[in-house]
Amino acid sequence: MRTFKCLLVLLPLLLLSVISRAQFLMDMIDTTTELGKGMFSMYKKYDALRFSGYIQPQFQYISSKGAKSFSGGDFPAAVNNRFTLRRGRLRVDYERHNDDGTPSVLFAFQFDGTERGVFIRDFYGRFFEHKWDVLSISGGMFARPFGYEVNLASADRESPERGRMSQLLMRTERDLGAMISFEPRRKDHPLRFLKIDAGLFNGQGLSGPSDFDSHKDLIARIALKPVALNASGWKLSGGISTLYGGMQQFTKYIYRSGNGPNGHEGFMVDSAVTNEGKIAPRHYYGADVQLRIPNKKGFTELRAEYLRGTQTATAASSETPGTIPVDAIGNHAPLYIRKFDGAYIYFLQHLGSPEHQIALKYDWYDPNLALSGHQIGQANTNTTEADIRFDTFGAGYLYYVNEHLKITLWYDLVRNESTDLQGYTTDVKDNVFTCRLQYRF
């Protein structure tokens, strides 16, 4: 009897609690109440906020323990297989629009977290003008406007990594700078198929903690957006790019290709005192093209890009220096100026459905066009492994399980030219197999 009386007392209290809670939840969406108006205002403010990201856990096997690799980094001395988290990206975008729906301002930042630490990837703002609706200005840390592969997101790229050339010349793809862009936003604009970017950047990108000289890189790209070629839906796009920059010479010792004292082609040193303080060149010129052919289910696509130019780096590497080069005892290291070229070609084909795709890729990078083969490594030529040409043949199968999950099986066959350099007299065993999962939201 006492239990029954207690229930009679508690039941109205519980009912009142439920009604009160329901009223609160209703207030959140009832815009006629003060609370509802506040929640709706907050929703409108933060509806412009977008979160996205992905992670790429993977397993890799390489032909020999301790091999150097551009497929996610060198392998430790006693390792020929490994599990790694290649990328773990979190990106936040905040975009405001005008009343007519056109963009007004964009702010974005992106971080990359793996077992190796957490690093910044993007941190920039962009302002859109509205008098002509064709211009925008960007400032901060963002991708260099050069080429196609450098700007293709890692989450969307079919091959696990960018080519050796892209990784060496533009490590991490991003840099600090400012850029102006021409891209018509009105559908009836006569140049709506065109996009032009031009900017000034520090030069060292994310490979160094800060700028180490006052010289800036001018980077520009003119791109043709996909245009239909026929009634079947074939689409062609492409672009041309240039980087005109350099780095200050903190040393008087500058090496350039020439005739060595033994009659062999090699590097000759220029040690004029006036070399210090001058700007050593970094000049790149590139062109790219993409052709997409729709199938009944999926598409066939061809991509190609070619780069050529002059690169200033060090004896041991043709990678763009991130800090002032120094030797083992802290003195300013000599600079090496090389003529280079490189390219890549993709063939992509869906296998009867958008979920299954095969990809073939060939890329090469020749860091020193003046030398080749057994000229490299000969006595008194001052050559190193940084002068060796590499060709990579890649093939893979991609399974797009759904919009959030992608599985990639990829094999890279890597070939270096035979030289007289110790360790590179024959092809190095550095072929790599990669099995990767990509989770995306």
Side-chain angles (χ1 to χ4, degrees):
M1 187 67 177
R2 178 174 293 180
T3 302
F4 179 72
K5 290 180 178 179
C6 290
L7 288 174
L8 289 177
V9 174
L10 290 174
L11 187 60
L13 294 174
L14 290 171
L15 184 60
L16 181 61
S17 173
V18 170
I19 293 174
S20 299
R21 182 174 178 82
Q23 183 63 47
F24 176 73
L25 292 175
M26 286 296 294
D27 283 342
M28 291 178 65
I29 58 175
D30 185 359
T31 58
T32 63
T33 66
E34 290 302 318
L35 177 61
K37 291 177 180 178
M39 293 299 295
F40 184 68
S41 175
M42 185 170 68
Y43 170 77
K44 288 178 64 179
K45 180 178 181 180
Y46 291 103
D47 182 51
L49 197 63
R50 293 288 183 268
F51 291 87
S52 61
Y54 61 92
I55 60 172
Q56 295 177 335
Q58 65 184 23
F59 173 79
Q60 290 183 304
Y61 179 85
I62 198 163
S63 302
S64 60
K65 293 182 178 180
K68 296 181 179 181
S69 176
F70 280 76
S71 296
D74 298 342
F75 282 68
V79 175
N80 65 356
N81 66 88
R82 63 187 178 189
F83 285 100
T84 63
L85 183 59
R86 181 62 184 94
R87 297 176 182 88
R89 300 288 175 87
L90 176 63
R91 178 176 172 127
V92 180
D93 293 88
Y94 183 79
E95 185 173 5
R96 297 300 299 175
H97 291 77
N98 297 312
D99 293 337
D100 59 0
T102 57
S104 174
V105 65
L106 167 69
F107 170 74
F109 67 88
Q110 180 177 204
F111 295 95
D112 182 24
T114 69
E115 71 273 19
R116 297 175 293 277
V118 178
F119 308 94
I120 182 177
R121 282 296 176 264
D122 293 296
F123 218 129
Y124 68 90
R126 179 173 295 161
F127 167 74
F128 300 86
E129 63 80 25
H130 290 285
K131 184 176 182 179
W132 303 287
D133 282 334
V134 297
L135 299 176
S136 64
I137 299 175
S138 305
M141 175 75 72
F142 54 94
R144 300 174 175 101
F146 189 98
Y148 184 84
E149 187 179 51
V150 167
N151 282 275
L152 182 60
S154 296
D156 299 322
R157 191 181 56 250
E158 294 78 13
S159 62
E161 306 297 335
R162 292 176 177 85
R164 181 182 299 257
M165 173 180 61
S166 298
Q167 293 188 49
L168 283 169
L169 299 179
M170 297 190 182
R171 185 179 177 187
T172 66
E173 302 85 49
R174 296 156 175 87
D175 202 351
L176 273 166
M179 178 178 74
I180 185 169
S181 301
F182 172 86
E183 184 177 15
R185 295 185 289 278
R186 296 175 184 170
K187 294 182 179 180
D188 59 348
H189 197 283
L191 298 178
R192 61 188 179 278
F193 58 87
L194 196 63
K195 186 176 189 292
I196 303 174
D197 298 308
L200 291 175
F201 298 84
N202 279 345
Q204 85 288 343
L206 294 178
S207 57
S210 64
D211 199 2
F212 57 78
D213 62 19
S214 296
H215 193 71
K216 298 294 179 281
D217 289 351
L218 170 64
I219 307 178
R221 172 175 165 81
I222 302 175
L224 174 70
K225 294 181 179 181
V227 294
L229 297 180
N230 53 35
S232 300
W234 290 34
K235 290 188 176 181
L236 179 70
S237 59
I240 55 175
S241 307
T242 184
L243 184 154
Y244 197 87
M247 60 176 288
Q248 183 174 331
Q249 299 172 174
F250 292 91
T251 174
K252 67 178 182 179
Y253 299 105
I254 308 299
Y255 284 80
R256 294 181 176 86
S257 295
N259 292 318
N262 58 359
H264 294 297
E265 191 78 13
F267 283 99
M268 294 294 294
V269 62
D270 176 1
S271 57
V273 177
T274 55
N275 284 336
E276 289 192 51
K278 291 183 177 180
I279 301 300
R282 288 178 53 240
H283 301 161
Y284 312 160
Y285 308 95
D288 62 88
V289 64
Q290 304 82 42
L291 174 65
R292 176 174 287 202
I293 304 171
N295 306 142
K296 290 183 178 179
K297 294 184 178 180
F299 59 82
T300 302
E301 184 167 352
L302 295 171
R303 297 181 197 149
E305 185 169 0
Y306 177 75
L307 267 69
R308 188 182 184 93
T310 303
Q311 171 72 344
T312 296
T314 62
S317 174
S318 64
E319 180 179 331
T320 300
T323 58
I324 300 174
V326 295
D327 58 24
I329 59 176
N331 294 325
H332 290 147
L335 297 180
Y336 281 65
I337 300 176
R338 302 173 172 94
K339 300 286 186 180
F340 74 90
D341 81 342
Y344 68 78
I345 301 173
Y346 274 92
F347 171 78
L348 308 172
Q349 177 64 59
H350 281 111
L351 302 176
S353 75
E355 290 81 23
H356 303 278
Q357 185 182 44
I358 60 169
L360 302 176
K361 180 183 180 181
Y362 166 64
D363 74 78
W364 89 78
Y365 175 56
D366 190 343
N368 192 338
L369 293 175
L371 302 172
S372 63
H374 294 284
Q375 291 178 314
I376 301 171
Q378 292 187 8
N380 301 318
T381 59
N382 298 306
T383 51
T384 69
E385 63 182 271
D387 300 295
I388 299 174
R389 170 175 168 147
F390 282 82
D391 296 72
T392 303
F393 304 85
Y397 164 74
L398 297 91
Y399 177 32
Y400 300 88
V401 181
N402 52 49
E403 61 179 325
H404 303 292
L405 176 61
K406 178 173 71 173
I407 301 172
T408 302
L409 302 176
W410 191 274
Y411 189 79
D412 275 327
L413 184 68
V414 185
R415 291 288 181 264
N416 60 268
E417 59 181 336
S418 298
T419 71
D420 281 357
L421 197 65
Q422 185 175 359
Y424 292 93
T425 55
T426 59
D427 184 55
V428 176
K429 295 181 179 180
D430 52 0
N431 301 333
V432 185
F433 169 74
T434 300
C435 176
R436 173 182 294 176
L437 301 179
Q438 176 176 285
Y439 304 94
R440 187 176 188 177
F441 70 92

